[in-house]
Amino acid sequence: MAKVIVMDHPLIQHKLSILRDENTGTNQFRGIVSEIAMLMIYDATRDLPLETVLVKTPIAVAECKKISGKTLAFVPILRAGLGMVDGAINLVPAAKIGHIGLYRDEETLQPVEYFCKLPKDIEHRDVFVLDPMLATGGSAIDAITQIKKRNPLSIKFLCIIAAPEGLKALQAAHPDVDIICAGLDSHLNENGYIVPGLGDAGDRIFGTK
Ligand code: PRP
Ligand code: URA
């Protein structure tokens, strides 16, 4: 079974509290989503393979380490996952970026797919799927199913807040995918929103409410 990691770093927890606050405006919300994504990527990439290279410093030749292989692809789930891309590519500028467009039908809560464009060489890459919210898990499960059809080296799912219901569903559907989140909340309400959560992530990032 895949790992579930709840990131308890004080910086992440502090920033998450600002995101949750209903008085946090769009500009600050967007900035903090990006910062949290960067901190999460920093930790989630700690097991990337390294290779030894020789580097000539002004003084001598040094045995150094570099990340080996084609490495990473980030795949945000539109819309809200887009808010995490800047932070991620700040740390890994060479990563390729795919996009999966999904929205939750408000009545059925089922994901509806409207876009999928992934890097051509994704089979040589470790993929990080980005979405701030894991609620029922439907969107994440669907996105990962699409990505798996292209046989990437590995997949990790990064979200800012997860609900227990979504975690359970995602682990059952994709037991090989590690899940990394900043907060694990209490439950979903009758409208499928995470409690206490932060509201509608897409609307808060893009100011559409
Ligand atoms: C939100 C969120 C996830 C999804 C989570 O997107 O960004 O993609 O809901 O819910 P689930 O786990 O129950 O599938 P939403 O459907 O609101 O679309 P948006 O990002 O375009 O606003
Ligand atoms: N999507 C969101 O944006 N927020 C939730 O609480 C649940 C799904």
Side-chain angles (χ1 to χ4, degrees), residues 48-69:
L48 282 182
L50 292 171
E51 63 189 8
T52 303
V53 292
L54 295 180
V55 174
K56 195 169 172 314
T57 79
I59 311 296
V61 174
E63 254 192 23
C64 300
K65 301 289 179 194
K66 277 194 174 167
I67 292 168
S68 63

Side-chain angles (χ1 to χ4, degrees), residues 149-162:
K149 290 180 187 163
R150 299 276 304 276
N151 287 317
L153 294 178
S154 72
I155 304 178
K156 288 183 181 175
F157 182 77
L158 268 62
C159 60
I160 296 181
I161 300 183

Side-chain angles (χ1 to χ4, degrees), residues 29-104:
F29 191 92
R30 204 183 281 143
I32 290 180
V33 166
S34 179
E35 287 171 8
I36 292 179
M38 185 159 65
L39 293 168
M40 294 182 85
I41 287 291
Y42 176 74
D43 199 65
T45 49
R46 63 168 59 247
D47 57 358
L48 282 182
L50 292 171
E51 63 189 8
T52 303
V53 292
L54 295 180
V55 174
K56 195 169 172 314
T57 79
I59 311 296
V61 174
E63 254 192 23
C64 300
K65 301 289 179 194
K66 277 194 174 167
I67 292 168
S68 63
K70 282 263 177 84
T71 72
L72 308 190
F74 298 130
V75 181
I77 300 178
L78 309 182
R79 292 176 299 165
L82 284 177
M84 298 173 74
V85 172
D86 266 10
I89 55 174
N90 265 343
L91 276 196
V92 191
K96 293 279 170 69
I97 299 170
H99 294 86
I100 293 192
L102 289 172
Y103 69 88
R104 279 200 320 180

Side-chain angles (χ1 to χ4, degrees), residues 1 8 18 31 69 75-76 88 93 101 104 108 111 113 121 131 140 144 155 160-161 182-183 186 193:
M1 182 66 81
D8 58 1
I18 300 171
V75 181
R104 279 200 320 180
T108 65
E113 189 180 323
D121 60 354
D131 192 331
I144 291 167
I155 304 178
I160 296 181
I161 300 183
S186 164
Y193 277 86

Side-chain angles (χ1 to χ4, degrees), residues 79-80 104 109 131-136 139 161 163 185 187-189 191-204:
R79 292 176 299 165
R104 279 200 320 180
L109 299 182
D131 192 331
M133 308 304 276
L134 179 66
T136 65
S139 304
I161 300 183
D185 277 10
H187 63 281
L188 297 178
N189 70 13
N191 300 316
Y193 277 86
I194 300 176
V195 182
L198 51 71
D200 187 304
D203 284 340
R204 295 199 66 189

